[in-house]
Each structure stands twice: as structure tokens, then as C-alpha cells.
Amino acid sequence: VGVLVVAIAAYMIITKRPKNSPPVVSVGMPVIGNFIEFGKDQCGFILDCYNQYGPCYTMGMMGQNLTFLVGPDVSAAFFAAKDEELSQPEVYGFMKPVFGNNVVYDAAPKVRKQQMSHMTQGLATSRLKSYVPMIVRETEQFFREKWGESGECDILQALSDLTILTASRCLHGKDVRENLFAEVSHLYHDLDKGITPLSFFFPNLPTSNHRARDKARIKMVELFGDVIKARRADPKASEENTDILQVFIDMVYKKTGDPTIDGKGNTDDQIVGLLIALLFAGQHTTSIVSTWTTLFLCHDQDMMTRVLKEVEELHPKDSELTYDDVVKFDFMHNCVKESLRMFPPLIMLMRKAKVDIPVKADKPAPDGRDSWVIPKGDIVFTSPAVAGRLPSVFKNPDDYDPDRFIKQEHGGREEDKGSFKHLGFGGGMHGCLGQQFGYLQVKTIVATMLRLYEVEAIGDMPKPNYEAMVVGPKGTPMVRYKLRKN
């Protein structure tokens, strides 16, 4: 009887919708059919529904209406919407135990906007120029200590370890990297493991992972508290700090409309939360994209040769790699971009519809309609992973082809020209703030690694692990490496 009641309730939720709302997807068993099929292969299911229903459709799942927008035309409704129309806090609230109170999704809109603005300032070109030598030094030291002359390793694990080192050096600063890194890295691991698919629905459930997450959050504030206190006590010495920790320490809120906040800076808890949020946003993306890029190059010697030639021509071995060198690595940039197209770490982005959202497509869907209205209350999704595999946008989308991004003025196809086609870093006003830093970090790491070592893949190209919250290669992607002779 209970199952029948739930089934009827779910049916009523999904059927009592305006006539101009998107078509409804229903497969398999009542109530749980969509959930089962979606769980088997999220991207495949989204793409199958796109082919059957068109670029805008809704499915009922877990008592909620989920509406999907697939394709650059309809994605404009997702990325162009204001926060008052499509909102993030309601769907990303499960991150509050990690980020903390009054940080990012838990902060009031004007406060959150200023936090994001200062993150952007912390990743400005002037600061990025100072980061490249830091990344190079960390990368060279890591390989010297961990790899030695030759051997085999899990390249995803190696680049994950290296990425958090480089991120800590650039974002946390020299004092944290050299004195507290081991503890910070361990605590970050516990925070990371505290975000699971279960956390999305029950973020405060007393699981072992959640308990470890909460203890790590408290300890992280204690560790950084001493650093923050020391920097505040000697502002003159802190003037030369280029890390984002210093940006958050110096930050002062203005015109938020809240007299208890205006004119004041971040608390220690907020500073740590902002650092965690920034590290969460970039660490997985950089390590995973670095791994995919390395693996694709290892499986295609022609592309590996082109990358090495570009690096050697633009950056002679006797010179120090600089920001100006890295931004000239055009072919490598396209290799990284193509890795992001094929296997973006975040396969779905979502928002909560606070008002009815009109959607317009360039051509009619199978039912003849080319416009819809997403009802208020729906959770709205777009998928970077599916967007990157649309044959209508990308020629032979399952092939790794970095040349697809060559500019038209240079005789290329420039398949990503236009809005909302390549969504590896999102889009619109909520596009990834660290995009430039992400590309810079990946290119610097990969260039340095390939200059030092010959690298070859062991085994076949791995499949993506869509069971993970952040999607990387499945299994243990092994490589064999050997120090290059001068």
C-alpha cells in the first residue's frame, strides 16, 4: 500500500504541469524506473532522452522534477539566467558542512558576489605570472623525489598528489606549503571523502565519512588560524604575499545591506572556507584533466611529438619556463581543451528554478515544439559531458581531435565558436573563475613532466568512472616513465 501511495503521489507531481512545460520522460518501473536507468549510465540516458524527446525534457526522480537542457541553443536559458531566476544555493547546499557558514552557497547574494569577485582578483594575470615558477619548482622537485630515473606508476594518483602541492604553493602561500602541508593535505583528504552521492540527499547523516569530514573542517580552521593571526600581526611583511590566502585576509565587505557585515573582513572560519572552496573547485579538475591529457598523448605518438616540438621550440631547455612561454603553447592548450570536452570532471551542472523559465530551441523537437516553459520549482540541469558529444556541434565527437579548435582565421574548423558549446569550465556569469589558472597549471605541469621524462601508457585507454562524484579514469591508469637524457 505504501509503495502504491508513493507511486500515485509521484505520478500526480509529474502530471499536474502546465501544457507548455517540457515533455515528461518515464521509463521502466513506476517511481523508480527513471532512477534505475539514470544510475546505470547518466550520460547515455541523457543523450538517449535527447534523441527521443528533444533538447528540453523533464523526468521525475526522488519526488522531484528534473528538467534537462541539452545543446547550445537551449543552454542559453540556463547560463544567461540571473540568480533570482535559477539559483545555486538550493542545489549545492550539501557543500555547507565543507565550506562553512556564510561562505559561497550559504552566503547572502551580495556577500557571495564579493567573495567571488575577490577570488577573481586573486587569479588575475599579474598573480598568475608569479605562479608559473612556483609550479615548475614544485613539479621538478616532486618528480625528482618520487620518480627518480625510471619506473611505473598510477598517473592519476601521481598527478593528484602533485596538483595539491602546486595549488598549496600558489593559493595557500609559502608558510603553509613549507610548514603545514602534510597536515593540510591529510585534512583535505578527509574533507574530500566526506562528499559522496549520499551527501547530496543527506549531508548531515552521521556516517563515518561525514564525522571525519566535520572533524577535519574544525582542525583546518585551527591550523590556518595560527597563520592568519601571524599575518595580521605583521601586515607590512604580508604586503609581498601573492597567494589568495592574503587576498581573503585583506578583504573588506562593502554595501552588502547588512550593517553587521559592512566594513568588516572575513572571520578565520570564512577564510578557511573560501580556501577550501577554491581548492575543491580546482584540485580535481586539474589533476583529472592533466591525467587525461597525458594518457591521450601517450596513446597517440604523433600528437606527443607535436607537443614536445612545440615545447622545445618555444621553451629552450636552458631557459626557465615563464607565464609568457606557457600561454604560447597553442597545440597543448587545444589538447587540454579536447580532454575537457571528452571527459569533463563535472558531468552535470544544476540550478533551482525560482520562477518559470522560458526556453527556445533553434529547431523543433520530435513533438513539433521549439519552445517550452520550465515550471518554478524544477531542478534544472545541463551536462558538459553530453554537450561535448553532440554530433551536431562536434564532428566525430568520440574522436580525440585537438585540431577541431584551431581558429578559422588560421584555416581551422573552430568547432567551439559561439556560445555554450564547450562547457568544460561551465559558462555565463557562473563560469569557472579559475579557468585561466586551471589551463596554466595543467600546461605547466604536463610541459615540465614531458621535458623531464619519456612517458608511455601501460594498457588500453581507460573508461571514465561515472560512479564517482567527480569523474576521472576508471581503475588504475598506469604509465611507464624514463628520465630523458640531456
Side-chain angles (χ1 to χ4, degrees):
V1 174
V3 173
L4 180 62
V5 170
V6 172
I8 293 172
Y11 177 78
M12 291 177 66
I13 289 173
I14 198 70
T15 54
K16 292 182 65 176
R17 292 167 67 81
K19 290 183 178 180
N20 60 352
S21 60
V24 174
V25 174
S26 181
V27 298
M29 298 173 62
V31 182
I32 62 173
N34 287 342
F35 183 78
I36 291 173
E37 293 303 314
F38 186 75
K40 289 179 182 177
D41 178 6
Q42 299 101 311
C43 294
F45 188 49
I46 293 171
L47 194 55
D48 288 344
C49 292
Y50 165 77
N51 292 327
Q52 183 176 353
Y53 295 93
C56 181
Y57 56 85
T58 301
M59 66 177 74
M61 194 180 300
M62 302 293 285
Q64 179 66 58
N65 294 325
L66 313 182
T67 294
F68 290 80
L69 298 174
V70 183
D73 49 352
V74 296
S75 292
F78 185 92
F79 291 112
K82 300 177 182 177
D83 284 336
E84 308 87 71
E85 298 167 337
L86 287 179
S87 178
Q88 292 180 303
E90 289 82 356
V91 292
Y92 291 112
F94 68 96
M95 294 301 297
K96 179 180 176 180
V98 176
F99 297 164
N101 296 324
N102 298 314
V103 174
V104 191
Y105 303 122
D106 187 60
K110 289 185 178 180
V111 172
R112 183 168 69 251
K113 185 176 181 180
Q114 291 185 41
Q115 290 174 351
M116 295 299 187
S117 175
H118 279 76
M119 285 187 187
T120 302
Q121 292 175 28
L123 296 171
T125 300
S126 59
R127 291 178 184 269
L128 294 180
K129 288 184 176 182
S130 71
Y131 292 161
V132 171
M134 298 179 191
I135 297 171
V136 171
R137 285 195 294 272
E138 288 288 348
T139 303
E140 290 177 342
Q141 180 179 339
F142 176 86
F143 287 126
R144 185 167 57 247
E145 295 177 355
K146 302 294 185 181
W147 279 20
E149 294 280 338
S150 62
E152 298 177 357
C153 76
D154 175 348
I155 189 64
L156 175 59
Q157 185 61 57
L159 292 178
S160 295
D161 293 341
L162 173 56
T163 298
I164 197 168
L165 284 167
T166 59
S168 181
R169 172 69 72 175
C170 298
L171 307 181
H172 297 160
K174 182 179 179 180
D175 39 4
V176 174
R177 168 65 186 92
E178 295 184 354
N179 302 316
L180 298 174
F181 176 75
E183 291 179 89
V184 170
S185 179
H186 175 75
L187 293 171
Y188 175 79
H189 176 79
D190 285 346
L191 288 169
D192 191 29
K193 295 300 180 184
I195 298 300
T196 68
L198 184 65
S199 306
F200 179 80
F201 298 103
F202 308 106
N204 296 309
L205 200 68
T207 65
S208 59
N209 281 350
H210 288 171
R211 285 192 291 270
R213 173 200 68 193
D214 295 342
K215 289 180 181 178
R217 180 67 172 71
I218 294 170
K219 184 62 177 176
M220 191 83 90
V221 175
E222 293 175 1
L223 280 180
F224 275 97
D226 292 337
V227 176
I228 294 167
K229 183 178 179 180
R231 290 195 182 191
R232 283 176 167 158
D234 191 358
K236 187 70 176 178
S238 298
E239 289 179 357
E240 296 182 2
N241 292 328
T242 60
D243 52 77
I244 292 187
L245 170 57
Q246 193 62 48
V247 173
F248 294 149
I249 290 174
D250 295 339
M251 178 179 172
V252 176
Y253 292 100
K254 301 175 182 178
K255 298 180 180 180
T256 66
D258 186 342
T260 65
I261 295 176
D262 286 343
K264 297 179 180 179
N266 287 307
T267 63
D268 289 4
D269 192 85
Q270 283 179 301
I271 291 170
V272 172
L274 290 166
L275 288 173
I276 292 172
L278 197 58
L279 198 58
F280 258 75
Q283 196 272 339
H284 284 299
T285 299
T286 299
S287 59
I288 288 173
V289 175
S290 298
T291 298
W292 282 122
T293 303
T294 301
L295 290 171
F296 276 120
L297 293 176
C298 286
H299 282 275
D300 191 317
Q301 284 305 308
D302 288 340
M303 290 188 188
M304 176 70 84
T305 300
R306 288 175 65 184
V307 164
L308 288 170
K309 181 180 179 182
E310 179 178 65
V311 172
E312 290 169 359
E313 288 180 350
L314 295 173
H315 174 46
K317 287 186 177 180
D318 295 335
S319 61
E320 184 174 327
L321 188 65
T322 67
Y323 172 87
D324 292 332
D325 295 325
V326 176
V327 295
K328 293 176 184 176
F329 293 159
D330 293 334
F331 181 65
M332 183 187 288
H333 185 91
N334 288 343
C335 288
V336 176
K337 192 172 186 177
E338 179 71 340
S339 298
L340 264 172
R341 179 191 70 82
M342 294 192 72
F343 298 124
L346 295 178
I347 64 172
M348 281 181 284
L349 306 173
M350 52 188 173
R351 308 278 190 270
K352 177 73 176 274
K354 306 290 283 185
V355 297
D356 290 349
I357 304 294
V359 179
K360 185 75 170 67
D362 289 342
K363 60 182 180 180
D367 66 1
R369 293 191 289 166
D370 63 0
S371 63
W372 307 265
V373 175
I374 301 173
K376 173 183 176 181
D378 279 15
I379 303 296
V380 185
F381 287 78
T382 190
S383 171
V386 175
R389 298 300 183 106
L390 296 178
S392 58
V393 178
F394 297 106
K395 181 180 179 181
N396 299 322
D398 295 332
D399 292 345
Y400 184 78
D401 180 10
D403 290 332
R404 69 173 77 247
F405 301 119
I406 294 176
K407 301 289 186 183
Q408 290 178 356
E409 58 262 33
H410 298 145
R413 304 195 300 271
E414 199 173 355
E415 294 179 7
D416 62 324
K417 187 175 182 179
S419 300
F420 315 125
K421 292 183 176 180
H422 187 289
L423 301 179
F425 281 106
M429 66 178 179
H430 291 303
C432 178
L433 300 176
Q435 177 173 341
Q436 192 178 2
F437 176 65
Y439 273 121
L440 191 78
Q441 195 177 15
V442 173
K443 289 159 67 176
T444 302
I445 288 173
V446 173
T448 303
M449 176 180 64
L450 295 181
R451 286 184 69 204
L452 294 173
Y453 289 90
E454 298 174 13
V455 184
E456 61 177 289
I458 300 174
D460 297 331
M461 190 74 179
K463 301 293 184 182
N465 180 18
Y466 287 125
E467 295 177 3
M469 288 286 285
V470 183
V471 178
K474 182 177 287 188
T476 306
M478 299 295 293
V479 299
R480 184 178 294 113
Y481 55 85
K482 181 181 178 181
L483 192 66
R484 293 185 185 276
K485 297 179 180 179
N486 292 332

